[in-house]
Amino acid sequence: MFNNTKKIIRRLIWIRNARSARKKGVNLGKKAVIHGKMELRLKKNSNITIGENVLLNSVNRDYHINMSNSIKLYTGQEGAEIKIGNNTRIHGSCIHAYEKIHIGNNCLIAANSQIIDCNRHGLHFEDPIRRLERITESKPVIIEDYVWIGMNSVILPGVTIGEGGAVAAGSVVTKDVPPYTLVGGNPAIIIKRHNTSVERVK
């Protein structure tokens, strides 16, 4: 057990700045900022693309809530993809893709949020001992433009959050969120819808 743990630790890479991220194979856009150290796992033939003017923040200082951990960007197997759009800000959260997690432009993701596209273990009610087995069955997660995810939220496999959607703090999102809709709770339910015909500045 301890030997396996050591092997896992050796695969992790700590990133402290944009230059270091690029050297490790992350496609990083102009003016993207890595604030504090970021934990990275990039599997062979997988891809992490970060847009322009993105902030990836792992520093508690001057942040308005307590952050329990650093940013984590993991690809769990070959061919997996994480894509983060322009002008998006992510604080102390985990994004772990076995297939695909796409985050749009102009998004806000508050600290301690978890975004995953794979549950990693099956229910196996007929043979519960099999829950110890790891699985890689995944369902893509899509977070469209202008989405706000509140602190301590969990976005589960297969979820799409529509443009302009919002997730209340501490929510567990198990189903798609319509555009310009606020959801909250565990499991998250619709709290408020907004008139999507309203004009906004691009």
Side-chain angles (χ1 to χ4, degrees), residues 38-42 47-50 54-56 70-76 80-85 88-98 100-103 109-110 112-118 141 143 149 155:
M38 176 179 78
E39 194 174 325
L40 175 71
R41 181 184 289 167
L42 188 58
N47 183 267
I48 296 177
T49 300
I50 298 168
V54 168
L55 172 63
L56 299 173
S70 304
I71 293 271
K72 291 172 66 174
L73 298 182
Y74 281 17
T75 54
E81 179 179 69
I82 295 172
K83 185 176 181 181
I84 300 170
T88 285
R89 288 183 272 172
I90 303 174
H91 302 272
S93 293
C94 175
I95 301 169
H96 192 170
Y98 277 81
K100 180 170 73 175
I101 295 175
H102 282 188
I103 298 170
I109 300 176
N112 312 320
S113 293
Q114 318 292 324
I115 303 173
I116 55 174
D117 69 350
C118 175
V141 173
I143 298 170
I149 297 175
I155 313 301

Side-chain angles (χ1 to χ4, degrees), residues 170-189:
S171 298
V172 178
V173 184
T174 62
K175 297 179 180 179
D176 291 352
V177 178
Y180 296 92
T181 298
L182 171 65
V183 300
N186 180 8
I189 61 172

Side-chain angles (χ1 to χ4, degrees), residues 74-146:
Y74 281 17
T75 54
Q77 61 185 359
E78 290 193 30
E81 179 179 69
I82 295 172
K83 185 176 181 181
I84 300 170
N86 300 332
N87 306 313
T88 285
R89 288 183 272 172
I90 303 174
H91 302 272
S93 293
C94 175
I95 301 169
H96 192 170
Y98 277 81
E99 182 180 351
K100 180 170 73 175
I101 295 175
H102 282 188
I103 298 170
N105 302 317
N106 307 297
C107 292
L108 296 171
I109 300 176
N112 312 320
S113 293
Q114 318 292 324
I115 303 173
I116 55 174
D117 69 350
C118 175
N119 288 325
R120 207 65 176 106
H121 300 275
L123 286 172
H124 298 299
F125 285 118
E126 73 290 347
D127 187 10
I129 190 66
R130 292 189 59 202
R131 292 176 182 172
L132 300 175
E133 300 171 6
R134 292 182 176 182
I135 61 173
T136 57
E137 181 182 348
S138 58
K139 297 178 182 178
V141 173
I142 307 296
I143 298 170
E144 297 183 353
D145 297 345
Y146 304 100

